[in-house]
């Protein structure tokens, strides 16, 4: 059976590899992919939205609807993990599957680990904020910043324990934040609509705030990136808590 | 007509994507451990990201962040940003899928006390 | 003006508000989540209906998201066909939610709001797949719909959880293959907008890249649509899920994917493509024949009512696939009619069976004894759905099959026509076996009455009455919706 699978996979791979020879050469600047739609993005994004990072410009503005749905996918994943895993905390479930219990001397009792983590967490969070806010000028943006922020929280949880982590951010806070992020993003779109333009047309927001058009676009991108960051942070923290505690959230480890 | 070596060199990324994709597909089809299947899925999805990012490459171009004070902007100087945008979205989607998949595997482990597909199927038939 | 996006935004905002409300107040907010969810879906359905009337009177609408003109921005394209599908998806989701809204929840800890949130997200995903005019945006919508579906389908015991993980693995591969096909199209055309890709590809000679992209993209969609060799996830996932979840997803997912295939064939890919790949399309029609016959045979072997319906669904998927690839406008008309008809009758049947499960706790065929005396209204609706599935006039299933069979004969494909008729005969056998039990045998001891609960039965009766209504409106639907969509195509 395994040999049959291997043969099928190899044949499919050879066929697919043969078709790739029809592709333009790698690195060729004269391909349709590089000439048609993307050329305008490179030429116009600075003028239209004062954002030198073209990836951010496309992500946050030309294709902002994709980005909104991407954020909704993350929101859905958090909600789905809650729906699948969360268990009611009873006395029995307070002592979940002892086989995965980490021995006490490893479970966050080490002074060095705790101290180093406590020193580094604020710096990581600051870096996350920088990545989020500086996405207009350098690689970065809401998703990357949100992931770094969530990583800081996870570092807290693994260096201390789940109870400490929960004191800093409760389960309710993560759910509210993840909903707030997508609401912020889609809300910006709706605010634009109230000014008589289409959904996510940031010109509407610029009009309301009385900003120049390009500045308004740039500002709106920052706002939606913040929304993305909120949802990503909250949803990843939520997924981490649920997975690491077998759905009990209160206890864990 | 180009020699085979030249064609191979200029299409190396594309052939590599197919190879990686087949590794992922084989892992998904042949392994019975559910986590290994998920790793296979991850490899599979990553290969598609490699394809897209390869599409965006341009020889002699730099990252799609405009240099400070650039006056003339020529598309030939910056690599194609669109595939990168698309793959950012695809990466996020695959992360989300992996999260849900791990939650499902954990629940399956709770129910069956196993993450081997053949054992679970045996248990279900009983 | 803003209707196309509002149709999608209402369920999305409904989901966000549901989650926010459930966690904002200690417990008071949780009581209001159901009205919010129903309200969101009702608003979405109202938008879709108004949109359909607008599109029918004033012509197609293109909605530019962010105000960016295509091909640079993403646009929603609502023509008569997609407007009709929007109505099908939103009304179907609304009726199903109302029917199961009162079912007492056995989920702990306020999982009902999470369920509703996921339900709304799945609906929004399907609506977006139908409305979008951008091939990559379609992928993201597929994933929104899919991720919420995996979670919705996993929540009924260990069998459901395992089936849902299998669905996730298969579904992710399907969606990834679709994404790969989009990549090939992007290499060839440099664009992601459907209309733009179509105009570029028509001007170019057919290349290996286009053909491979087409094949890979279709393969991905077949996996998501549960075409025969890739069908195994469907019965496993839908037959073990909770009634509310399978009642939403069984009618919608496969039909929306069939719609995407139709859309790709009539809008995105150039018309000389299939003509140039006649070997490919005849292979697909043969595959569809195999799917129809295999689905029918496997349906006979089932002891569980819902599993039986799932295998009938596998056969129906074969109808739609074959009709789309037969290559004449009669068959394509039949496919589009069947997408509509199958959505309506699958919804009727799954809702009826879901109500039976909610009441008696069983969907085994042997427990169907005397159902006509204990649950007459539900059974009448079930009969309506079953007759439509068999293809009895004036139910809508008859007309779509009529067009499919005439299309097959027009194309000279006797085997496809034969498989269609054979599978209809098998449906007769399957459903009359159930009618016989339910009508003539004595009900079992713990009989429950279904009378009086109109919140549950009204949506079911509504959709059951819609079956002959759609059937009688076939002429109008073809003239107003299908012919404009196929004009200049086939």
């Amino acid at each position: 059976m395994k040999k049959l699978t291997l043969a099928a996979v190899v044949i499919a791979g050879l066929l697919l590899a043969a078709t790739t020879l029809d592709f333009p050469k790698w690195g060729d600047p004269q391909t349709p992919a590089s000439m048609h739609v993307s050329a305008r993005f490179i030429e116009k994004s600075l003028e239209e939205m004062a954002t030198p990072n073209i990836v951010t410009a496309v992500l946050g503005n030309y294709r902002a609807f994709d980005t909104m749905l991407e954020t909704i996918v993350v929101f859905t994943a958090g909600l789905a993990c809650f729906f699948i895993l969360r268990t009611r905390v009873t006395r029995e479930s307070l002592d979940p599957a002892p086989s995965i219990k980490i021995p006490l001397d490893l479970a966050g009792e080490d002074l060095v680990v705790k101290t180093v983590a406590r020193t580094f967490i604020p710096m990581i969070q600051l870096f996350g904020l920088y990545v989020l806010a500086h996405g207009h000028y350098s690689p970065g943006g809401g998703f990357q910043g949100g992931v770094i922020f969530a990583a800081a929280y996870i570092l807290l949880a693994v260096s201390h324990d789940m109870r400490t982590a929960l004191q800093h951010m409760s389960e309710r806070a993560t759910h509210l934040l993840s909903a707030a992020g997508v609401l912020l993003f889609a809300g910006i779109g709706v605010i634009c609509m109230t000014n008589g333009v289409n959904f996510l047309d940031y010109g509407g927001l610029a009009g309301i705030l009385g900003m120049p058009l390009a500045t308004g676009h740039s500002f709106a991108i920052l706002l939606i990136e913040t929304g993305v960051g909120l949802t990503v942070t909250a949803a990843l923290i939520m997924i981490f808590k649920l997975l690491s505690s077998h759905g009990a959230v209160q206890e864990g480890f | 007509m180009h020699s085979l070596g030249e064609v191979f060199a200029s299409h190396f990324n594309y052939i590599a994507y197919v190879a990686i994709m087949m590794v992922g597909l084989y892992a998904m089809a042949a392994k019975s451990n559910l986590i290994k299947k998920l790793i296979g899925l991850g490899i599979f999805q990553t290969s598609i990201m490699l394809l897209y990012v390869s599409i965006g490459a341009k020889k002699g171009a730099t990252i799609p962040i405009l240099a400070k004070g650039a006056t003339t902007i020529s598309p030939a100087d910056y690599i194609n940003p669109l595939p990168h945008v698309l793959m950012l979205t695809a990466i996020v989607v695959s992360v989300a899928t992996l999260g849900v998949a791990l939650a499902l595997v954990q629940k399956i482990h709770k129910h069956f006390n196993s993450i081997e597909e053949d054992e679970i199927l045996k248990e279900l038939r009983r | 003006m803003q209707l196309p996006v509002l149709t999608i935004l209402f369920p999305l905002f409904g989901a966000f508000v549901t989650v926010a409300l459930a966690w904002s107040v200690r417990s008071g907010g949780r009581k209001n989540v159901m009205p919010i969810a129903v309200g969101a879906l009702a608003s979405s359905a109202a938008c879709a209906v108004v949109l359909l009337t607008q599109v029918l009177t004033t012509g197609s609408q293109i909605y530019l998201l962010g105000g960016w003109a295509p091909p640079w921005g993403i646009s929603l394209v609502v023509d008569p066909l997609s407007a009709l599908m929007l109505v099908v998806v939103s009304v179907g989701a609304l009726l199903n939610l109302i029917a199961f809204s009162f079912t007492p929840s056995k989920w702990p800890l306020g999982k009902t709001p999470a369920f509703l949130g996921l339900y709304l997200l799945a609906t929004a995903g399907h609506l977006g797949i139908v409305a979008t005019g951008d091939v990559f945006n379609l992928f993201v919508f597929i994933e929104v719909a899919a991720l919420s579906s995996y979670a919705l389908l996993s929540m009924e015991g260990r069998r459901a959880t395992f089936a849902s993980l299998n669905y996730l693995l298969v579904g992710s591969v399907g969606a990834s293959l679709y994404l790969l096909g989009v990549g090939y199209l992007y290499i060839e055309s440099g664009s992601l907008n459907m209309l733009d890709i179509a105009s570029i590809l028509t001007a170019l000679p057919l290349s290996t890249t286009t053909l491979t992209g087409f094949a890979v993209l279709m393969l991905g969609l077949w996996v998501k649509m549960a075409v025969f060799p890739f069908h195994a996830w469907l019965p496993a996932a839908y037959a073990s899920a909770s009634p509310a979840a399978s009642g939403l997803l069984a009618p919608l997912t496969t039909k929306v994917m069939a719609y995407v295939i139709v859309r790709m064939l009539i809008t995105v890919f150039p018309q000389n493509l299939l003509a140039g790949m006649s070997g490919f399309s005849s292979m697909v029609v043969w595959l569809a024949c195999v799917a129809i016959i295999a689905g029918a045979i496997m349906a006979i072997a089932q002891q569980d009512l819902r599993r039986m319906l799932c295998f009938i669904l596998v056969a129906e998927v074969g109808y739609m696939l074959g009709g789309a690839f037969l290559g004449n406008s009669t068959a394509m008309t039949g496919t589009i009619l069947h997408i509509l008809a199958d959505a309506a009758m699958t919804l009727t049947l799954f809702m009826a069976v879901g109500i039976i499960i909610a009441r008696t706790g069983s969907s085994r065929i042997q427990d169907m004894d005397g159902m006509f005396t204990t649950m007459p209204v539900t059974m009448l609706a079930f009969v309506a759905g079953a007759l439509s599935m068999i293809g009895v006039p004036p139910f809508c299933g008859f007309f779509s099959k009529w067009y499919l069979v005439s299309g097959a004969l027009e194309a000279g494909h006797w085997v496809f026509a034969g498989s269609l008729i054979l599978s209809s005969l098998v449906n007769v056998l399957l459903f009359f076996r159930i009618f016989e039990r339910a009508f003539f045998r004595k009900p079992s001891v713990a009989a429950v009455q279904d009378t009086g609960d109109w919140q549950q039965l009204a949506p079911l009766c509504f959709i059951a009455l819609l079956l002959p209504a759609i059937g009688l409106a076939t002429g109008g639907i073809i003239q107003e919706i299908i012919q404009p969509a196929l004009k200049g195509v086939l």
Side-chain angles (χ1 to χ4, degrees), chain C residues 193-209:
Chain C
N193 183 280
M194 287 184 187
L195 298 170
D196 194 40
I197 292 176
S199 66
I200 292 172
L201 289 187
T202 315
L204 289 175
L206 279 182
S207 67
T208 320
T209 309

Side-chain angles (χ1 to χ4, degrees), chain A residues 6 13 16 48 54 57 65 68 93 95 98 116 118 130 135 140 143 173 192 200 219 232:
Chain A
L6 187 63
L16 210 53
E48 282 175 344
I54 307 167
F65 194 58
M68 184 182 98
S93 70
D95 187 28
V116 171
R118 277 198 180 273
Y130 162 78
F143 183 75
C192 297
L200 286 174
F219 180 60
V232 168

Side-chain angles (χ1 to χ4, degrees), chain A residues 19 22 33 36-37 40 48 61 63 65-66 69 73 76 83 86-88 172 175-176 186 197-200, chain C residues 2 13 20 23 26 63-66 68 72 108-109 111 121 134 136-137 141 155 186 190 196 209 212:
Chain A
T19 66
D22 189 49
H36 182 41
V37 174
R40 181 204 148 114
E48 282 175 344
N61 202 339
R63 298 188 69 86
F65 194 58
D66 266 354
L69 287 161
V73 168
T76 311
F83 186 63
R86 186 74 163 92
T87 49
R88 191 194 292 276
R172 185 206 286 200
H175 276 91
L176 285 177
V197 291
N198 280 358
F199 186 66
L200 286 174
Chain C
Q2 308 276 10
F13 270 93
W23 289 90
R26 265 270 170 246
Y63 186 87
L64 308 179
L65 286 153
W68 300 110
W72 294 285
L109 268 168
K111 277 198 183 177
L121 288 167
D134 185 284
F136 186 81
N137 192 233
F141 269 121
M155 277 310 280
Y186 181 66
D196 194 40
T209 309
T212 319

